[in-house]
Amino acid sequence: MNKRFIVTGLITTVINLFLHGVAYFFFLKDFFRSHPAGSEEFMKQLGRPPDQLIIWAMAVTSLTMGFLITLIIKWSGARTFASGLKYGFITAFLFWGSVNFGLYASSNYFSLASVFVDFASSTAVMTISAAFAAWMMGLKTNK
């Protein structure tokens, strides 16, 4: 691991978290409410209200996803925004397909409509985050 990888991982973490937050607050939150998997009472039991979020766990999940994206981009050799889009999309499509359809198959957390919308949203966010990671990994340093 080098300094560029660590800095890229941290910035990718912030970008990924920010884009997921924007997607949730401006679109997914209302969509999930309109397409619940169960009753309103049941859905309230599944998620924590904002004032009960466990901050350290949110930090861990954000960092691990940011560094997973960065590691995949490093291994792929992608060093431009466009190549990051390509490898990021492939990774995101496979990863989020597995997560969303796995949750749908094994739990009552998502309605089918919510699965497809979350799949598309999460794939887009991870793809863009990977593109930024590739671009950052490809920046030339002045020495």
Side-chain angles (χ1 to χ4, degrees):
M1 248 188 302
N2 60 27
K3 181 179 176 183
R4 179 182 302 256
F5 177 82
I6 292 171
V7 169
T8 300
L10 291 172
I11 293 172
T12 301
T13 296
V14 171
I15 290 168
N16 192 60
L17 181 61
F18 174 77
L19 292 176
H20 270 291
V22 167
Y24 180 77
F25 287 109
F26 287 108
F27 176 67
L28 291 174
K29 182 178 174 182
D30 291 334
F31 188 88
F32 290 157
R33 257 193 219 126
S34 299
H35 300 86
S39 69
E40 186 175 342
E41 184 61 33
F42 173 73
M43 297 309 291
K44 282 182 182 178
Q45 293 174 13
L46 292 176
R48 294 179 189 274
D51 64 330
Q52 293 179 9
L53 285 177
I54 300 170
I55 300 301
W56 69 263
M58 184 63 75
V60 170
T61 193
S62 297
L63 285 164
T64 55
M65 182 58 81
F67 277 92
L68 174 66
I69 293 167
T70 304
L71 183 63
I72 290 168
I73 289 302
K74 180 180 179 184
W75 286 346
S76 76
R79 295 296 179 266
T80 65
F81 194 85
S83 64
L85 285 173
K86 175 182 159 185
Y87 289 104
F89 175 77
I90 292 166
T91 301
F93 185 84
L94 295 172
F95 179 83
W96 288 111
S98 174
V99 168
N100 278 276
F101 292 103
L103 284 172
Y104 182 70
S106 63
S107 72
N108 293 314
Y109 189 75
F110 286 118
S111 66
L112 185 57
S114 294
V115 167
F116 282 106
V117 169
D118 188 70
F119 178 46
S121 174
S122 295
T123 298
V125 166
M126 190 176 197
T127 299
I128 294 166
S129 299
F132 275 101
W135 174 72
M136 290 185 62
M137 294 292 281
L139 290 175
K140 303 286 186 224
T141 57
N142 293 330
K143 289 189 178 188

